[in-house]
Amino acid sequence: MKRQQQARAPKTELKIKQGQRFPLTIKRLGIDGEGVGFFKRQVVFVPGALPGEEVVCEAVKVSQKFATGKVVKLRRKSKDRTTPPCAVYEQCGGCQLQHMTYDAQLREKKDIVRQAFERYTKINLEQLDFHDTIGMDDPWHYRNKSQMQVGMKDGHVIAGLYSSNSHKLIDITDCIVQHPQTNTITKVVKQIADDLNIPIYNERKHRGFLRTIVTRVGFKTGEWQLALVTTTKEFPRKELFLEELRRRLPDVTSVIQNVNKEKTSLIFGDETIVLYGKEKLEERLGDFTFHLSARAFFQLNPVQTEKLYDAAKQAAELTGKENVVDAYCGVGTIGLWVADKAKELRGMDVIADSINDAQKNAAAHGVDHAVYEVGKAETWLPKWEKEGWQADVVIVDPPRTGLDDSLIATLLRTKPSRIVYVSCNPSTLAKNVKELVKGGYTLKSLQPVDMFPQTAQVECVSFLEYEGK
């Protein structure tokens, strides 16, 4: 009877009610760039609020574990607050920290990494090399690629990003974190589509032709690439469109059409057609040249990518005697960056096209001690070990979801001497490091790198060494 009464007992009453207003002191920055405070011991996330600020907050959404609020009044302003230079910053949602000075962004990004490790591990960060965030000299106009959704407003073509938590398309004419040339190309394509009455895709009705304008610029080469994502291969007024494009943008290197017929949020479809120019854009990182198709993954901030890869290379502590594995090799970028200090380099990726590109890139740069295979590291590491080849250093650069459990188990079984973990998600990094430490590894260093200034994202290079039995 007592158990039945307990089962029927009401849930704990929420301490915060939706629409309630209350004073709040912001203690820290959350992983998505929002201010974090506590009211009646309940955590409250407040977008736009900064650490140290005192605000009057209104609860917008309330759950058992947390509440989300908005700033109604700013009672005490942070010294780190600044005026966002972007005209659509409040509506766009692409950036989260333009209202914070850049020095403060770098400090808080290091703290975001610290918070993740304090939440998910018991590692004492004071006992290892936990470096300050590597920033940019000029934290603007750094993105080499833009993907702008296309729509109609007041009878004219617009292109931009969807507002946060909505499907309202914000027209972006001059994104100040994009390379200026990507803005120029997008603006011209909008004008031509408007002038020629090109049918624009309507997501709700699943009708229309032009869906997305994708642009990419080679920072070092000056080459420009345009990809038009369309619903059909048949291109209305194609010759007129291309004629106008050549006239208004005579220096475009590559114009691609990609066909995506599906009702999906994915940008690209499977079919790609070269409309004119080269199929691939050329870009350089350090001494390496890469050829990029419109769909190929490449780091979005080439200036910081070199710093990121340098940090990974320094962490690996290579002497020229080590067998190195690039476990998520893609087209081979990180592996090639460290190859001159490796005895032998081996890489793998589940995408066959990426491995093909990695092999070509290694050959083009005279890296003849590299081997690339299609598949997963958890398959190849034990196979190579059975053949008598042991990895000394494994470099991993996984997606935001972190390492697969099977790869962690493989690393703990094969026991490479050193692991360099390049992460774009401090939470999954901390969780994975916790498991590796349980298996005998020691975390030696953390190096945050700011790949995306004005946003809450932070990359981190971590170095682990095997010290187990």
Side-chain angles (χ1 to χ4, degrees):
M1 185 67 179
K2 188 175 181 181
R3 287 182 180 175
Q4 289 178 342
Q5 288 174 341
Q6 288 175 340
R8 292 172 186 164
K11 292 181 179 179
T12 305
E13 186 177 354
L14 296 176
K15 296 173 183 176
I16 300 174
K17 306 292 185 184
Q18 188 166 334
Q20 179 181 352
R21 293 188 176 187
F22 48 89
L24 192 71
T25 299
I26 305 302
K27 299 294 186 182
R28 56 183 173 80
L29 208 64
I31 198 165
D32 294 319
E34 71 278 56
V36 181
F38 297 88
F39 183 71
K40 295 184 177 179
R41 296 187 178 180
Q42 190 166 1
V43 65
V44 184
F45 298 105
V46 189
L50 297 178
E53 292 188 330
E54 294 177 2
V55 304
V56 175
C57 174
E58 180 178 313
V60 175
K61 185 178 178 182
V62 178
S63 69
Q64 291 289 337
K65 293 184 177 180
F66 65 89
T68 302
K70 66 178 180 181
V71 176
V72 176
K73 184 179 180 181
L74 188 58
R75 284 182 169 172
R76 188 176 75 178
K77 187 168 71 170
S78 167
K79 68 182 188 316
D80 299 321
R81 182 173 284 276
T82 188
T83 302
C86 175
V88 295
Y89 174 61
E90 301 290 344
Q91 295 82 42
C92 169
C95 298
Q96 301 85 42
L97 296 179
Q98 284 191 23
H99 62 295
M100 176 182 266
T101 62
Y102 190 55
D103 284 345
Q105 288 182 36
L106 297 179
R107 183 188 70 234
E108 291 300 327
K109 290 188 180 190
K110 179 178 180 179
D111 192 58
I112 286 173
V113 175
R114 182 188 302 278
Q115 287 177 48
F117 276 84
E118 288 176 348
R119 179 176 182 181
Y120 296 110
T121 79
K122 295 181 179 179
I123 297 171
N124 185 349
L125 299 183
E126 303 303 319
Q127 294 180 350
L128 54 89
D129 292 327
F130 188 11
H131 305 284
D132 291 338
T133 308
I134 297 174
M136 296 191 74
D137 295 332
D138 179 10
W140 304 99
H141 300 296
Y142 59 81
R143 289 179 67 100
N144 61 7
K145 184 180 182 181
S146 74
Q147 297 180 156
M148 299 297 184
Q149 306 305 313
V150 184
M152 295 292 293
K153 183 179 181 181
D154 300 328
H156 292 285
V157 178
I158 63 172
L161 302 175
Y162 290 109
S163 182
S164 296
N165 303 314
S166 83
H167 256 54
K168 180 183 178 185
L169 189 62
I170 305 298
D171 190 28
I172 300 175
T173 56
D174 185 20
C175 179
I176 56 178
V177 297
Q178 288 288 159
H179 187 289
Q181 194 57 43
T182 68
N183 291 321
T184 298
I185 297 170
T186 303
K187 196 178 301 183
V188 169
V189 171
K190 281 195 298 184
Q191 291 168 349
I192 297 173
D194 224 4
D195 294 344
L196 298 180
N197 292 316
I198 300 297
I200 302 303
Y201 180 67
N202 183 304
E203 184 182 35
R204 186 171 56 84
K205 297 179 180 179
H206 195 48
R207 289 208 301 261
F209 172 71
L210 183 58
R211 298 178 68 135
T212 312
I213 301 168
V214 182
T215 63
R216 178 143 55 187
V217 173
F219 270 52
K220 295 283 184 69
T221 62
E223 294 189 347
W224 315 342
Q225 184 182 66
L226 166 65
L228 303 168
V229 182
T230 65
T231 55
T232 63
K233 186 175 180 178
E234 294 70 33
F235 195 136
R237 294 175 283 285
K238 180 169 76 172
E239 295 309 319
L240 270 175
F241 188 97
L242 295 179
E243 184 181 326
E244 280 300 306
L245 198 61
R246 287 190 187 97
R247 187 176 68 83
R248 302 186 199 190
L249 293 171
D251 297 326
V252 163
T253 309
S254 169
V255 180
I256 307 293
Q257 180 187 1
N258 176 268
V259 181
N260 185 352
K261 302 175 182 178
E262 305 302 319
K263 196 172 185 179
T264 174
S265 59
L266 296 176
I267 299 294
F268 288 107
D270 293 330
E271 185 178 10
T272 300
I273 306 148
V274 179
L275 297 179
Y276 75 81
K278 301 195 301 183
E279 180 186 359
K280 298 184 178 183
L281 172 143
E282 192 173 290
E283 179 60 308
R284 289 194 295 272
L285 285 179
D287 297 329
F288 298 96
T289 299
F290 297 94
H291 298 273
L292 308 172
S293 64
R295 296 176 62 190
F297 170 78
F298 196 71
Q299 291 281 3
L300 294 170
N301 185 338
V303 174
Q304 289 298 89
T305 296
E306 295 190 8
K307 297 178 184 179
L308 179 74
Y309 289 176
D310 279 343
K313 188 172 186 176
Q314 182 177 351
E317 298 181 350
L318 300 177
T319 64
K321 299 177 181 179
E322 294 86 0
N323 290 329
V324 179
V325 168
D326 182 1
Y328 293 80
C329 71
V331 299
T333 48
I334 293 183
L336 292 176
W337 199 263
V338 305
D340 64 321
K341 294 292 185 179
K343 177 183 175 183
E344 185 176 352
L345 171 68
R346 295 192 180 187
M348 67 284 289
D349 199 285
V350 295
I351 300 172
D353 286 348
S354 294
I355 291 300
N356 185 43
D357 285 344
Q359 291 167 340
K360 289 179 180 177
N361 286 330
H365 293 97
V367 180
D368 55 7
H369 60 302
V371 174
Y372 292 99
E373 301 286 358
V374 178
K376 295 183 176 181
E378 47 265 47
T379 301
W380 283 103
L381 285 174
K383 180 178 171 64
W384 289 334
E385 189 178 42
K386 285 180 181 178
E387 295 170 355
W389 191 89
Q390 174 72 39
D392 300 304
V393 178
V394 174
I395 301 173
V396 293
D397 184 8
R400 289 188 63 80
T401 49
L403 302 180
D404 290 339
D405 290 342
S406 56
L407 178 53
I408 293 176
T410 300
L411 290 170
L412 294 179
R413 189 167 64 251
T414 56
K415 299 180 178 62
S417 300
R418 304 194 287 280
I419 297 173
V420 177
Y421 188 150
V422 181
S423 169
C424 59
N425 185 338
S427 295
T428 53
L429 170 64
K431 291 175 185 177
N432 291 163
V433 166
K434 179 182 178 181
E435 296 304 311
L436 292 168
V437 167
K438 279 183 186 177
Y441 282 89
T442 299
L443 180 64
K444 295 290 189 177
S445 67
L446 290 169
Q447 176 61 73
V449 181
D450 188 21
M451 295 292 290
F452 301 102
Q454 320 309 327
T455 79
Q457 291 178 264
V458 56
E459 301 259 340
C460 189
V461 177
S462 57
F463 172 57
L464 298 102
E465 197 163 29
Y466 186 73
E467 295 183 349
K469 295 180 181 178

